[in-house]
Amino acid sequence: MNAREKVITMLNPVRGLLALLCLLVASASSAHAFTIQEVTSPGGIKAWLVEEHAIPLMAMNYSFKGGTELEPAGKEGVSSFLTGMLDEGAGDMLSAEFQKKRDELAFRMSFDAGSDFFEGGFQTLTRNRDASTDLLRLAITAPRFDAEPLERVRQQFLLNVKEQEQDPQSIGWQAWMNEILPGDPYSRPDDGTEASISGISADDLRAAHRRIFNRDGLQVAVVGDITAAELGPLLDKVFGGLPEKAPDQPALPPAKPAMGPKLKVIERDMPQSVIAFGTEGIKRDDPDFIPAFVMAEILGSGGLTSLLSEEIREKRGLTYGVSYGLNPMGRGGLYAGSLQTKNESAGEALDAARDVIAKYAEQGPTQQELDEAKTFLTGSYALRFSSNAAIANQLLALQQQNLGIDYVQKRNALVEAVTLDQVKAQAKRLLHPDRLIVTVVGKPQGVK
C-alpha cells in the first residue's frame, strides 16, 4: 500500500476502502480506454459509437425527446403502456410470431418511459444483427396494437398500478411530488392510474407513438462489434422510416417547485414510517452543477458514507439507510431525500436530518471530507463503463444532458478542480432545512 492509499483508508474506513477499490479499477481500466466517434448515416441520423470487436456483440441505446410529461390529461400512463406493446406484434407479424422470432434470434429489446425521454435498449449477437435489427425496425415503426395482446398487457399494468398504490414508498414519493410540483405534469404518476390505464385504447397508443417516435428528437449510442461504415446504413434501416418531426404541440413552461415548509402525513397501519423530504434543486446545465454535485455527495448522496447516514444510521441507529441528492430534470430540478424508521422514532429521525442539513448549510464540509469525496467520485467513474450495454447507457445520458462527446475525458478533471469554497457556496445556496417539504407514510410520532 503506497502513501496515498494509506491516507485514503485513514480518512474514512468505509469510504477509504471503496475509494481504494475504485482507484484499482480505474487503473486497470485506463489500459482499455475507449474512443467515441460521432457517426452520421447517409440519411443524416447521428450516433455516438464505441467500437469493441473482442466480443461478437452490439449494444444500442436510444431515446426520443418527450416522455410522460407530454401525455394528454386523462391518459396518464399511455407512454408506459406503449413500452409493453412494442414487442406484441409489428408489421405483418402477430404477437406470438414476433416473440418466437425474437427468441430464436436471442436478441434483447427493452423500452422505458421517463418524464423527459422515451428510451429503448437493444443487444444482439453479430451473426444475428441483420435479422434482429429487422425486427427492431418493425417494432419501432409499425407496432400493431391488436386487441388480445392489448387487453393482456392492460391487465399487467393495472396489477402494477394497484401494487404501487399499496406500496408505502410509492405512496410517499407520489404525495411528495404532488406537494412540491402541484399541477405540473412531472407530478403525475408515470405508470398512470387505475382509471387512466383502464381507459387507454389502441387509438391512444397510436397517438402516443406518433408523438414520441420521430427523428427530430432521436439520440443514439452504439457500442460493440460494428464499424462506423457498417453503423451508418444500420441507423437508416432502423430509424429512417420514422417521421422527421413530431406533431405540433405547445411547449411546457419551466417547472416551479412550491416553497416549504410543508408537512403531509398519510396514515397507514404499519410499524414503520416512510419519510420523503426535499426542496427545489437545479438543472444539469447550471454552471455550478459539478460543485453542487460534489456537495450533495458528501451530505447525502454517498450512501453509507454520507454525513446524513453517519449521524442518523451509524450514531443513532434510527434507519438502515438515508439518502438526499440532486434530481435534475428537463424543465427544472429537485433536491430530494428519503429515510425509513420506526414510527416511534420518526420525529427524532426527521429532526436529526434537519439538524445535519442545517449545520452543513452553515459550515460546509471539511477539506478532508471533500478530498475523500473527490477521490471516490473520480475513482468510481470507471465502474459506470463495465460492459457494452453500460457504456451505451452512459453515452446516451451524456447526449440527453448536452454534455458533449468529450465529457468522459473531462469529467474527472472537473471534479478534481472543485474547491472547498465552491462546495460551501453551493451548500449555502441549495440547502434550506427550514423550507423542507415533507411527506410521511405510516403512524409517525413526534414529527413537526
Side-chain angles (χ1 to χ4, degrees):
M1 182 179 291
N2 61 33
R4 185 185 183 193
E5 292 166 350
K6 289 180 181 178
V7 171
I8 291 170
T9 53
M10 288 171 60
L11 292 177
N12 178 314
V14 176
R15 186 184 289 276
L17 289 173
L18 289 173
L20 177 56
L21 174 62
C22 293
L23 281 173
L24 295 174
V25 172
S27 298
S29 300
S30 63
H32 305 284
F34 51 81
T35 300
I36 308 171
Q37 309 173 61
E38 183 172 78
V39 175
T40 302
S41 75
I45 298 172
K46 295 184 181 296
W48 289 5
L49 168 65
V50 173
E51 293 188 36
E52 174 52 71
H53 301 287
I55 302 175
L57 293 169
M58 183 196 79
M60 178 165 66
N61 284 31
Y62 54 92
S63 69
F64 301 90
K65 293 179 182 177
T68 59
E69 64 168 356
L70 297 180
E71 294 173 341
K75 302 298 180 182
E76 294 84 1
V78 67
S79 304
S80 293
F81 201 146
L82 185 61
T83 67
M85 291 299 300
L86 294 176
D87 66 346
E88 294 286 352
D92 295 330
M93 303 177 70
L94 298 178
S95 175
E97 182 184 0
F98 185 96
Q99 294 182 1
K100 179 181 178 182
K101 187 66 174 176
R102 178 200 61 193
D103 294 343
E104 290 174 351
L105 293 170
F107 71 87
R108 296 180 181 178
M109 181 174 68
S110 62
F111 302 92
D112 180 69
S115 297
D116 294 310
F117 297 96
F118 188 100
E119 299 182 358
F122 176 78
Q123 297 179 58
T124 182
L125 296 167
T126 301
R127 67 173 183 269
N128 295 337
R129 187 172 67 206
D130 289 343
S132 297
T133 51
D134 282 340
L135 262 66
L136 177 62
R137 174 185 59 81
L138 281 177
I140 289 174
T141 59
R144 292 183 60 93
F145 309 129
D146 292 324
E148 186 278 326
L150 190 152
E151 292 305 320
R152 173 165 39 80
V153 171
R154 187 197 308 280
Q155 294 308 311
Q156 295 170 0
F157 274 92
L158 284 173
L159 179 61
N160 180 56
V161 167
K162 290 176 181 178
E163 290 177 349
Q164 290 187 29
E165 290 176 348
Q166 299 301 317
D167 176 64
Q169 292 190 349
S170 297
I171 294 169
W173 276 117
Q174 185 58 55
W176 187 80
M177 289 295 291
N178 290 337
E179 291 293 316
I180 197 166
L181 290 173
D184 190 277
Y186 279 147
S187 68
R188 301 184 303 189
D190 284 348
D191 291 335
T193 64
E194 189 172 350
S196 66
I197 293 297
S198 296
I200 288 173
S201 67
D203 285 342
D204 295 325
L205 292 168
R206 293 186 187 99
H209 182 267
R210 287 193 297 271
R211 171 176 60 81
I212 294 168
F213 285 82
N214 62 87
R215 298 197 305 276
D216 186 47
L218 174 64
Q219 294 171 309
V220 186
V222 180
V223 180
D225 187 26
I226 188 170
T227 66
E230 293 168 329
L231 178 58
L234 184 143
L235 293 172
D236 285 341
K237 169 186 171 181
V238 174
F239 303 108
L242 295 174
E244 183 176 350
K245 294 185 178 296
D248 289 337
Q249 52 195 4
L252 293 174
K256 295 182 179 180
M259 183 78 71
K262 287 185 182 182
L263 172 64
K264 183 179 181 66
V265 176
I266 303 169
E267 289 202 3
R268 290 290 187 274
D269 189 11
M270 47 192 257
Q272 292 194 319
S273 290
V274 175
I275 304 174
F277 58 92
T279 59
E280 181 177 6
I282 56 176
K283 294 172 61 178
R284 185 59 184 82
D285 60 3
D286 188 287
D288 292 314
F289 183 85
I290 293 295
F293 168 69
V294 176
M295 179 276 294
E297 168 73 16
I298 299 168
L299 175 61
S301 302
L304 299 181
T305 63
S306 72
L307 297 180
L308 281 169
S309 183
E310 181 180 351
E311 179 65 31
I312 302 173
R313 182 182 187 274
E314 299 297 331
K315 291 184 179 179
R316 304 196 190 195
L318 298 176
T319 181
Y320 286 112
V322 55
S323 63
Y324 192 36
L326 296 170
N327 180 21
M329 302 178 293
R331 294 186 294 109
L334 301 174
Y335 200 158
S338 69
L339 63 89
Q340 187 169 323
T341 188
K342 294 183 297 184
N343 286 326
E344 296 80 5
S345 57
E348 181 184 358
L350 183 56
D351 287 344
R354 287 194 180 103
D355 291 344
V356 172
I357 295 170
K359 180 180 178 181
Y360 191 71
E362 179 63 28
Q363 301 177 4
T366 65
Q367 184 65 53
Q368 175 177 305
E369 290 165 342
L370 174 59
D371 291 343
E372 291 177 38
K374 286 167 41 171
T375 299
F376 177 77
L377 288 171
T378 55
S380 63
Y381 191 53
L383 300 177
R384 301 187 187 185
F385 304 92
S386 58
S387 66
N388 286 0
I391 296 171
N393 184 58
Q394 287 295 313
L395 298 188
L396 180 64
L398 298 184
Q399 293 181 63
Q400 292 172 343
Q401 297 166 7
N402 298 314
L403 291 179
I405 200 167
D406 61 344
Y407 182 80
V408 174
Q409 285 71 41
K410 297 191 307 183
R411 186 268 192 184
N412 277 358
L414 295 173
V415 172
E416 289 281 11
V418 172
T419 67
L420 189 61
D421 286 343
Q422 287 177 317
V423 172
K424 289 182 176 181
Q426 293 310 305
K428 290 183 182 297
R429 173 195 177 197
L430 295 174
L431 298 176
H432 305 284
D434 57 330
R435 303 206 309 242
L436 287 179
I437 292 176
V438 181
T439 60
V440 188
V441 181
K443 287 191 172 182
Q445 298 179 19
V447 296
K448 59 184 184 297

